[in-house]
Amino acid sequence: MQSQNQQTQTLNMLPPTPDIESYRDVWTFVEIFRGELISYSLEGIAAARKIASKVGMKVGALVAGDKVSDDIAKTLIEHGADYVVAVEHQYLADYEPLAYTEALEEIVRLRKPWALIFMADEMGRDLAPRLAYRLVTGLATDNIDFDVEDFFHGLLKEKFTNILAQIRPDFATRIAKIYTPRHRPQIASLRPGSFKPLQRDRSRVGDIYRYTPSLKNYQKKVRVVDYEKIEDRGAELLGAKLIVGLGLGILRDAEGNAKNPLEAVDMARKILDLVRRKLGVETALGASRALIHADVKELREIITHDIQIGQTGKTVSPKVYIAAGISGAIQHRVGILRAGSVVAINIDPRAPIHEIAHYSIIEDLYRALPKLYEALQKKLESR
Amino acid sequence: MKGVPANTARVVTVGGILRREEMDIVLNPYDRKTIEAADYMRRRVGGKLVAMSMGPHPKIIPIMREIFDAEVSGIDEAYILSDKRMAGADTWATSYTLSKGILKVLSIHREAIETLANAIESGEAIDKVEALATDLYRRNLIPNKIYSDKPSIRDTLINMLREGKISRSDAVELLREEAKRVTTNFVIFCGMKAADGETGNVGPQVAEALSQELGLTIPHASFVVDYEYVSERNSLLVKRRLINVMQILELDLPSVLTIHVDYSAPPVPLTGRRASLMNSYRGKNTNITIWSADDIKADPRYIGLAGSPTVVGPGIDISRPHVRKIVGLSIIAAKDIDKINYGDKTYGPFKKGDLLDSLPEDLKRDLVAKGLAKTFDYEDLAEEIISILRG
């Protein structure tokens, strides 16, 4: 029962989705890219499963392409989908946002899913916002978890029961819950790596609905011309679990004597190789802007722009970041905000990098790196 | 452009809503690349570089002032959409609001050219027409090819009209075409995301919102690392990140690009400099324009908190007090330690490896002597690094 006040308030707000009670099921958009099922899309099915089980709904896997094979559809069902919605059109052969938005808009308006989960990769981040705007509904981006909760809307003084709580990191130290109480579908994107795909169950069966969109409002304003391999040497930085970042400090030792910086590079590489070999995790070498701009002759082929970490370089998210000879200017710190733990090696105890470090080594890096290598080697070989 | 908190460790929120007016606000660091990319377009084809932001204008004005000098040429003009009713907007409401602001910028320019066309069509004396053109030019609303006071530019439309090289009806027709081009020949550059919200939604959503406002389809491409203008087809050839590859796309104008941090502008080709100059305007207009929701004719139901489909629940703080272990200095628990009664206080319990630096000095010495605590050394550090990487 709405109070007078509440009705007035509602009139002054974005109108809610009409017929909101008719929206059912939790869908996840499964990415097929250049004929391949993008494997982390299976995490979206796991997330949808979690949500659906809490609200007693079914899980639909939404797939688009010029033709979606039975094999792919079957795979999705065996990984937890109750049914597959395959949207098929020749214009969907290659991904581009206009045709995909148009096609997904049609199927969503037709079948009315209650929630729709995208993966928060480049495709999901390109497509979901446009679709959400078109459908006049909310989008919560880059979530790490979902729940189903009751939510009290402070402005409306109204309680919404059993809606999707979209859980995402907020300013490094907090998590926030985002709700879309008055609009459907509740659209969210899921950060890859946040859910484990469900165990494949070959006994699972489900329906496959095939739909050919009319694309009647579609205008071909984008043409896919080609694809290129990513040649960026620094690409490995983005997936690395351990990164050693080198800064201007490697040019001199603690006494101020010029050093051959290749020594520091070699020591860093020894640590990275050891960890990669023994723990089987990806590792990478990075550098600060200051070191790259110093344009040191010996480092020219090694310390390049590709591996620059920081505001104007790459933003990395390793589990462990070892900063050697880096002072920790804010521009560099921006690039390592997402790092799990920071190990700072800097002889100057007042260097800003120590402020954000979880571990500090206040010692000449030319002494510290070999000691760290030996300690790691001892611990890793004794196992 | 977006203003973001200078220090994300000190954000002020009330009920999950950022209180920008109570914090130090700086330019979103990702927007630097946006300016670089837009600046390239400006130098490549001319026109002007217009910056727009939504937020409390006292905080945004200093940011805008700075970027007049950013990159090679900096921005030419700045607009701030500032209104209490815009506060608390999610990306949907923000994109709607920005699209209304963009629409108004386009309208002003289109109307300026139309006014001039109408004056010529109605048979105004050439001196009157020129006076009007001068005024519009000084206000940065018409490009050099229509009117210019630069000595190097002689072949403007107004000059040709005065010298009888074109007829009045030709001039009117040319101006009307030019007016139409205002709403089709533009590119909107957005940051790939903002350092505070980190959504990256606004670029694609502005493309959609503005498509609806203008009644045409405006394509977008996110995470652009490189692009070039294709003059033969008036389009953009764009290289952007997509999953595990670079996708090369051709986008018709108008279009929206979000710029990846890996973008870096190439040198501007030498050809086309003259055309670029003719398409450009008088110069910079450093008077920053501030518009309210009413100024941009925004539907109050679609802006701010009221226009946001999403609602932010109360944030949950997951930060732990910052602990730092210093090799050779910090004292850690050498094994699991039960609760310790010391003086009139109780400490612990502690797990092996826990930092004990905050304990009283005497107690630490005591624990070290008993073998319960030790100095944090390289091997302890190695142990922790390995355990984090395994976890």
Side-chain angles (χ1 to χ4, degrees):
Chain A
M1 199 44 84
Q2 285 199 334
S3 69
Q4 188 79 41
N5 190 17
Q6 227 174 296
Q7 282 174 14
T8 324
Q9 182 62 55
T10 310
L11 287 177
N12 293 327
M13 293 175 75
L14 185 66
T17 303
D19 207 10
I20 193 164
E21 296 301 326
S22 62
Y23 285 74
R24 295 286 300 169
D25 292 357
V26 182
W27 284 11
T28 183
F29 178 70
V30 173
E31 295 176 4
I32 309 283
F33 183 54
R34 307 178 77 199
E36 299 276 322
L37 169 67
I38 299 300
S39 60
Y40 51 68
S41 284
L42 298 176
E43 296 177 28
I45 301 180
R49 193 80 264 165
K50 175 180 176 182
I51 300 161
S53 67
K54 294 195 174 206
V55 281
M57 293 184 187
K58 288 187 169 173
V59 171
L62 176 62
V63 204
D66 58 342
K67 189 92 186 75
V68 176
S69 74
D70 286 346
D71 271 0
I72 281 179
K74 202 165 170 296
T75 305
L76 302 179
I77 286 166
E78 289 173 358
H79 275 101
D82 293 314
Y83 59 88
V84 171
V85 180
V87 183
E88 298 173 319
H89 195 289
Q90 63 181 55
Y91 288 164
L92 304 174
D94 271 312
Y95 171 76
E96 64 93 350
L98 292 177
Y100 269 61
T101 300
E102 200 74 30
L104 264 51
E105 180 197 5
E106 278 186 41
I107 191 71
V108 166
R109 289 198 193 281
L110 187 73
R111 297 287 303 258
K112 300 186 173 179
W114 181 80
L116 174 54
I117 313 294
F118 286 86
M119 295 311 295
D121 64 352
E122 292 94 346
M123 191 191 284
R125 283 169 176 268
D126 194 59
L127 173 60
R130 187 152 198 156
L131 180 68
Y133 195 93
R134 180 86 59 92
L135 293 166
V136 193
T137 188
L139 165 63
T141 309
D142 208 19
N143 297 279
I144 53 172
D145 200 3
F146 297 102
D147 210 338
V148 174
E149 291 177 355
D150 295 346
F151 172 67
F152 182 77
H153 197 303
L155 198 63
L156 284 170
K157 311 239 180 313
E158 187 182 345
K159 191 172 155 187
F160 292 83
T161 50
N162 276 335
I163 61 168
L164 187 60
Q166 302 155 117
I167 303 167
R168 65 179 307 239
D170 186 24
F171 299 114
T173 62
R174 306 191 320 159
I175 57 169
K177 289 183 179 177
I178 314 281
Y179 305 90
T180 304
R182 304 165 63 242
H183 299 86
R184 299 290 179 274
Q186 300 161 88
I187 302 183
S189 63
L190 173 66
R191 182 188 291 186
S194 306
F195 273 76
K196 271 212 174 75
L198 299 172
Q199 202 75 41
R200 186 167 193 166
D201 176 356
R202 290 182 192 273
S203 69
R204 284 181 59 87
V205 288
D207 290 326
I208 302 169
Y209 300 100
R210 293 186 187 275
Y211 175 75
T212 307
S214 73
L215 300 184
K216 59 180 189 295
N217 298 317
Y218 172 64
Q219 290 179 31
K220 205 168 180 61
K221 300 265 192 164
V222 181
R223 292 164 294 281
V224 177
V225 178
D226 202 358
Y227 292 97
E228 274 179 19
K229 275 204 194 131
I230 295 177
E231 283 165 18
D232 189 355
R233 281 202 312 123
E236 57 193 22
L237 274 173
L238 303 175
K241 298 290 178 253
L242 172 68
I243 293 172
V244 178
L246 300 176
L248 267 188
I250 68 167
L251 300 184
R252 291 181 190 283
D253 67 12
E255 284 78 44
N257 306 311
K259 294 285 283 186
N260 180 354
L262 282 176
E263 268 181 56
V265 172
D266 285 345
M267 284 190 262
R269 280 184 172 162
K270 271 176 81 176
I271 290 174
L272 295 167
D273 288 345
L274 175 73
V275 168
R276 181 167 49 226
R277 241 181 22 247
K278 292 285 178 182
L279 292 177
V281 297
E282 288 177 58
T283 62
L285 186 70
S288 74
R289 185 172 189 272
L291 183 60
I292 292 162
H293 280 237
D295 201 18
V296 182
K297 190 173 80 228
E298 294 90 340
L299 300 177
R300 224 161 254 170
E301 298 295 311
I302 303 158
I303 304 294
T304 57
H305 281 280
D306 302 349
I307 64 164
Q308 182 186 327
I309 295 169
Q311 191 170 307
T312 50
K314 292 194 165 59
T315 305
V316 294
S317 50
K319 286 183 173 174
V320 178
Y321 180 71
I322 302 174
I326 286 175
S327 66
I330 180 68
Q331 289 75 8
H332 186 74
R333 277 149 58 189
V334 166
I336 57 170
L337 277 178
R338 283 254 177 92
S341 293
V342 174
V343 181
I345 306 175
N346 196 310
I347 185 79
D348 179 3
R350 287 159 308 166
I353 191 77
H354 287 303
E355 284 171 28
I356 60 153
H358 304 85
Y359 304 98
S360 280
I361 304 175
I362 303 170
E363 197 175 350
D364 182 354
L365 71 97
Y366 281 96
R367 280 189 209 119
L369 284 172
K371 285 188 197 168
L372 183 58
Y373 173 77
E374 278 162 33
L376 284 165
Q377 193 179 35
K378 188 170 165 197
K379 293 282 170 190
L380 286 167
E381 313 239 296
S382 70
R383 284 168 198 248
Chain B
M1 302 289 105
K2 186 179 185 185
V4 300
N7 181 350
T8 49
R10 287 197 202 97
V11 290
V12 183
T13 64
V14 173
I17 294 156
L18 265 190
R19 298 292 292 268
R20 283 174 214 281
E21 63 278 13
E22 289 172 28
M23 292 181 286
D24 284 338
I25 298 294
V26 295
L27 177 70
N28 170 31
Y30 295 99
D31 288 346
R32 285 272 160 204
K33 285 292 176 185
T34 312
I35 300 172
E36 188 180 339
D39 182 71
Y40 175 76
M41 188 73 178
R42 155 81 179 72
R43 287 181 292 131
R44 175 82 172 79
V45 299
K48 65 175 158 182
L49 179 48
V50 174
M52 181 174 286
S53 185
M54 182 184 93
H57 61 272
K59 293 283 185 183
I60 307 292
I61 286 172
I63 296 174
M64 289 294 196
R65 291 231 179 287
E66 265 183 45
I67 59 175
F68 273 105
D69 299 319
E71 302 313 323
V72 182
S73 336
I75 62 166
D76 295 318
E77 250 171 53
Y79 295 86
I80 302 172
L81 312 179
S82 175
D83 195 313
K84 283 204 169 63
R85 290 174 293 173
M86 294 172 189
D90 71 358
T91 66
W92 198 100
T94 301
S95 303
Y96 168 77
T97 311
L98 289 171
S99 74
K100 285 301 221 183
I102 295 163
L103 192 65
K104 175 146 179 169
V105 172
L106 297 174
S107 304
I108 290 173
H109 289 81
R110 200 191 54 229
E111 282 160 17
I113 300 171
E114 277 166 0
T115 311
L116 194 59
N118 293 343
I120 296 169
E121 192 173 43
S122 68
E124 284 277 13
I126 187 69
D127 286 345
K128 280 257 176 80
V129 169
E130 187 158 349
L132 175 61
T134 310
D135 176 55
L136 294 172
Y137 179 74
R138 294 222 169 111
R139 285 158 58 202
N140 232 19
L141 291 172
I142 54 172
N144 288 323
K145 66 179 159 190
I146 297 178
Y147 178 84
S148 181
D149 61 8
K150 292 181 172 63
S152 60
I153 301 171
R154 297 295 312 145
D155 45 349
T156 67
L157 185 134
I158 296 294
N159 271 349
M160 291 198 288
L161 181 66
R162 177 183 278 283
E163 289 159 13
K165 289 180 184 159
I166 54 170
S167 69
R168 274 188 182 250
S169 62
D170 285 348
V172 170
E173 198 178 315
L174 286 168
L175 285 170
R176 295 245 156 94
E177 274 167 25
E178 194 62 31
K180 260 190 233 160
R181 275 200 288 273
V182 168
T183 46
T184 56
N185 279 15
F186 64 89
V187 182
I188 297 169
F189 296 87
C190 300
M192 63 180 262
K193 59 182 176 181
D196 53 355
E198 297 224 331
T199 72
N201 293 347
V202 167
Q205 293 195 318
V206 161
E208 178 61 25
L210 195 58
S211 294
Q212 293 179 18
E213 294 297 331
L214 284 172
L216 53 93
T217 301
I218 302 174
H220 78 267
S222 311
F223 308 109
V224 171
V225 296
D226 196 14
Y227 81 91
E228 189 48 84
Y229 175 65
V230 185
S231 54
E232 302 79 52
R233 292 188 295 280
N234 195 31
S235 63
L236 297 177
L237 198 58
V238 160
K239 187 197 276 195
R240 59 98 159 248
R241 278 186 175 273
L242 186 61
I243 306 186
N244 45 13
V245 293
M246 293 290 182
Q247 188 183 40
I248 318 289
L249 292 171
E250 187 171 1
L251 278 73
D252 290 346
L253 258 50
S255 47
V256 176
L257 306 185
T258 82
I259 303 301
H260 191 273
V261 288
D262 286 349
Y263 175 86
S264 80
V268 176
L270 292 171
T271 53
R273 292 272 167 105
R274 178 77 188 167
S276 158
L277 179 65
M278 293 303 277
N279 280 323
S280 295
Y281 292 71
R282 182 180 57 89
K284 287 177 193 283
N285 178 5
T286 52
N287 294 319
I288 297 167
T289 305
I290 296 157
W291 281 334
S292 69
D294 294 335
D295 291 332
I296 56 172
K297 296 192 175 66
D299 186 328
R301 297 175 305 161
Y302 293 180
I303 62 172
L305 207 51
S308 300
T310 62
V311 188
V312 184
I316 302 158
D317 213 312
I318 51 163
S319 69
R320 283 148 296 184
H322 185 76
V323 293
R324 177 164 70 111
K325 295 178 184 171
I326 306 171
V327 171
L329 285 176
S330 291
I331 303 294
I332 59 165
K335 45 189 78 167
D336 291 359
I337 307 173
D338 276 340
K339 273 188 191 145
I340 314 161
N341 293 311
Y342 187 83
D344 52 356
K345 284 188 179 158
T346 310
Y347 301 95
F350 300 104
K351 279 198 158 355
K352 184 185 177 206
D354 280 358
L355 188 64
L356 304 179
D357 282 350
S358 58
L359 296 188
E361 290 301 321
D362 291 350
L363 176 56
K364 277 193 282 190
R365 260 195 295 276
D366 189 35
L367 290 171
V368 172
K370 285 181 184 158
L372 291 169
K374 65 184 291 276
T375 305
F376 183 67
D377 62 20
Y378 277 95
E379 286 193 21
D380 297 317
L381 174 59
E383 182 93 45
E384 296 209 12
I385 289 174
I386 292 164
S387 122
I388 295 166
L389 290 172
R390 282 223 165 106

